[in-house]
Amino acid sequence: NSWALLPQPALLSCSPFMGVLFQAGPLLDRVYNTYLLMHTHQTVDFVRKKGAEYGACAQHRMSIMEALDLLDNVVDESDPDVDFPNSYHAYQTAEGIRRAHPDKDWFQLVGLLHDMGKVLALAGEPQWAVVGDTFPVGCRVQESVVFSDSTFHDNPDTKTPLYNTQYGIYQPHCGLANVLMSWGHDEYMYQVMKFNNFALPEEAFYMIRFHSFYPWHTGGDYMHLCSNEDLRMLAWVKEFKCVPQPWGRGKGTGLVPLLLPGSWEVRGAGTAEGEQPR
C-alpha cells in the first residue's frame, strides 16, 4: 500500500491530521521524526530552561517585516499540508481572516503574527523545539496528542510517577496560564508580545499562545485543567483555527503590517499608541 493515514481519529475537521492521506515517503517520515524528537526531549526541565532563556526577549531587535522576511527561510517540518516557506502561510492566514472578519483588523494581524515565533528555527533551535502541536508537560499525555502511542517511550518524564497522573503537578481547573506547555513558537511569540506590550485585546494573546494546542481546542482533552476563562477563550481559538485560507496566493495579499516600537519594533494592530483596537 503506497498510502499512509495518520492515526488521529479524535481530532476534528480543523486539525491538519484529520483524514488526510499522505503518500508514504519523505514527507510522512519528516513529520513523524519531528514528533518523535519532540516527544522524546520536551520535558518539564527542558520547558523551564527555555522559558528562562527566552523570557527576557534579549536575543534580537527587529521589525515585523524583518521577521516576516526571515520566515522565507523556514519550512515547518511538522506540517503534513505545507511544504513551502512560513512567510507564505502568514500572509495567507491574514488574508483568510480579512475575508471572514473584515471588521476586525486586530484579528487579521493575529493571522500575520501567529507563526512568527518560528524564527527560533533560524537561531539554532531544532525544529522539534519550535514547530508542531503543543501539549502540557508534567502530567499524563492524553490520547489526542499526535503519535502519542509510539513517540514518548524515551521521554525521561515517563519515569516520574507524578508526571504520569491525570493532574500531575497541577491542580484541578488551575487554568492553562498556569500549565507548562511544550516549548515552541506559540509560547515564544506570546512572551515577545507580552514583553513589548502589544496593543491587542486579550483574545489575540490567547490565540497566539494556544493555537497549536490541538489536543485541547480540537481533540477536547485537558479540560480538567481549564479555568472558566479558558473555556470562554476556546471559541476564539476555534474560530482562528477554522478560518479558510486562500491557498496559492502566496505573498500577494495586499496586507501591509505596520512597523511599531518595542524590542522587536512592534506594538499592535495598526492603532495609535494607547488606542484600543477595534
Side-chain angles (χ1 to χ4, degrees):
N1 190 343
S2 63
W3 295 91
L5 177 63
L6 288 180
Q8 281 300 301
L11 301 186
L12 305 180
S13 60
C14 294
S15 167
F17 296 105
M18 179 57 185
V20 179
L21 288 171
F22 298 93
Q23 192 166 10
L27 181 58
L28 178 59
D29 292 343
R30 184 191 75 182
V31 171
Y32 182 82
N33 288 333
T34 300
Y35 278 103
L36 177 62
L37 290 168
M38 180 194 303
H39 295 165
T40 298
H41 299 295
Q42 291 273 3
T43 64
V44 170
D45 288 344
F46 177 81
V47 170
R48 286 174 172 163
K49 175 184 174 183
K50 288 301 174 183
E53 180 179 352
Y54 288 105
C57 297
Q59 282 73 24
H60 295 283
R61 181 186 182 94
M62 67 183 71
S63 71
I64 282 291
M65 289 307 299
E66 288 170 333
L68 279 171
D69 286 345
L70 285 177
L71 291 181
D72 286 347
N73 303 302
V74 177
V75 175
D76 187 333
E77 294 179 358
S78 73
D79 196 324
D81 296 325
V82 175
D83 199 26
F84 52 77
N86 250 106
S87 54
Y88 288 35
H89 174 62
Y91 285 101
Q92 288 169 340
T93 304
E95 173 66 6
I97 295 172
R98 185 188 68 81
R99 293 181 179 187
H101 297 279
D103 59 326
K104 294 182 176 62
D105 56 355
W106 65 267
F107 197 178
Q108 297 159 31
L109 185 60
V110 169
L112 192 72
L113 297 176
H114 77 285
D115 275 352
M116 195 168 290
K118 291 180 183 178
V119 296
L120 285 176
L122 304 175
E125 294 293 342
Q127 288 232 358
W128 58 261
V130 178
V131 303
D133 296 5
T134 58
F135 61 96
V137 297
C139 64
R140 182 189 301 143
V141 175
Q142 303 293 300
E143 290 185 0
S144 63
V145 174
V146 65
F147 301 124
S148 60
D149 60 345
S150 62
T151 52
F152 280 92
H153 51 278
D154 288 331
N155 187 304
D157 282 0
T158 62
K159 309 299 190 297
T160 302
L162 177 61
Y163 296 167
N164 292 279
T165 62
Q166 181 181 18
Y167 292 101
I169 60 176
Y170 311 112
Q171 296 298 316
H173 305 293
C174 61
L176 296 181
N178 298 307
V179 171
L180 290 173
M181 299 297 299
S182 55
W183 178 259
H185 69 282
D186 303 55
E187 182 65 23
Y188 175 63
M189 192 61 197
Y190 166 77
Q191 294 295 338
V192 168
M193 292 168 64
K194 186 171 68 170
F195 182 86
N196 285 280
N197 297 313
F198 275 33
L200 287 168
E202 187 62 28
E203 289 82 358
F205 284 79
Y206 209 93
M207 285 187 276
I208 295 288
R209 193 177 196 181
F210 296 112
H211 73 271
S212 296
F213 190 10
Y214 279 93
W216 171 61
H217 63 64
T218 304
D221 279 333
Y222 297 101
M223 293 297 177
H224 57 286
L225 300 178
C226 292
S227 65
N228 289 335
E229 180 68 0
D230 296 325
L231 299 179
R232 185 181 76 84
M233 290 289 188
L234 179 57
W236 280 101
V237 179
K238 285 178 174 286
E239 178 63 18
F240 172 74
K241 295 308 298 181
C242 291
V243 168
Q245 297 187 19
W247 299 109
R249 287 178 60 91
K251 293 184 179 180
T253 64
L255 187 68
V256 183
L258 301 184
L259 306 187
L260 300 165
S263 71
W264 273 43
E265 299 185 30
V266 295
R267 188 187 73 230
T271 62
E273 188 169 0
E275 181 183 350
Q276 292 300 312
R278 295 185 297 276

